Amino acid sequence: MPPRIVRLAIFISPLFLAAVVVSLLGHSPAQPGLAIAQAPTSCPSATPEPLWVQPVISPDLDFSQVITVYLGNGEAVTITAASGVFAAAGDFNSYMTPALVTVGLYPGLVHTLTVYGKVKLVQVGECAYGGYTLYTRLDRFGKPLVIRQIAPYNCYLPVALK
């Protein structure tokens, strides 16, 4: 070997050996107790939670309608409509325990619903899953969540006086 390569090999060898010792022991021999930072835990990707809404009844003569919402790992469901904001809190899931939210309906109006579902934050070891909000304006068949309330004939609507 030419002298330059031999000198380089001699110079690299102690550095390489020190790197191996540090990686095996977790600290440098010159600085005992100084630990090398661990790489963050790689969390597996979570499966997205479903948000399914049962079809609504439209047109409707009633002044309220119960909306059935299936939400995986759900903790809260909120529905907005022309008549206000309606909510339910609890422990919901996408198969056995739906959220049942009663939505009030103003007479003679078309109510377009937007359904929001808050997914629980779940901690598994060092990994956090959930903690986000889903929303939809469609039922589970892809039809719009629109309720047209038809006021019955004997309903008195407020009249603006001039």
Side-chain angles (χ1 to χ4, degrees):
M1 268 197 225
R4 284 187 181 177
I5 295 177
V6 172
R7 285 187 202 141
L8 184 61
I10 292 172
F11 179 73
I12 290 175
S13 295
L15 290 177
F16 179 75
L17 182 60
V20 169
V21 168
V22 167
S23 68
L24 291 176
L25 296 177
H27 59 79
S28 170
Q31 298 175 336
L34 179 63
I36 295 177
Q38 295 283 336
T41 303
S42 177
C43 297
S45 297
T47 304
E49 296 296 345
L51 173 64
W52 299 318
V53 181
Q54 288 293 94
V56 296
I57 299 168
S58 183
D60 196 352
L61 292 172
D62 292 332
F63 293 105
S64 67
Q65 190 171 134
V66 176
I67 308 300
T68 304
V69 180
Y70 292 92
L71 173 63
N73 287 318
E75 66 180 2
V77 172
T78 305
I79 299 176
T80 61
S83 53
V85 177
F86 308 90
D91 189 19
F92 311 119
N93 66 45
S94 53
Y95 298 102
M96 299 299 291
T97 314
L100 302 174
V101 183
T102 302
V103 173
L105 302 173
Y106 285 156
L109 281 183
V110 174
H111 299 78
T112 301
L113 308 182
T114 304
V115 178
Y116 299 90
K118 174 90 165 75
V119 176
K120 289 185 258 193
L121 178 64
V122 178
Q123 196 74 25
V124 179
E126 294 180 13
C127 301
Y129 299 102
Y132 56 88
T133 301
L134 300 167
Y135 78 94
T136 187
R137 292 184 181 99
L138 305 174
D139 68 17
R140 65 188 186 110
F141 299 114
K143 300 215 172 165
L145 293 169
V146 177
I147 304 171
R148 190 173 62 122
Q149 200 290 333
I150 301 173
Y153 294 111
N154 61 358
C155 176
Y156 296 99
L157 298 175
V159 177
L161 299 176
K162 290 185 180 182

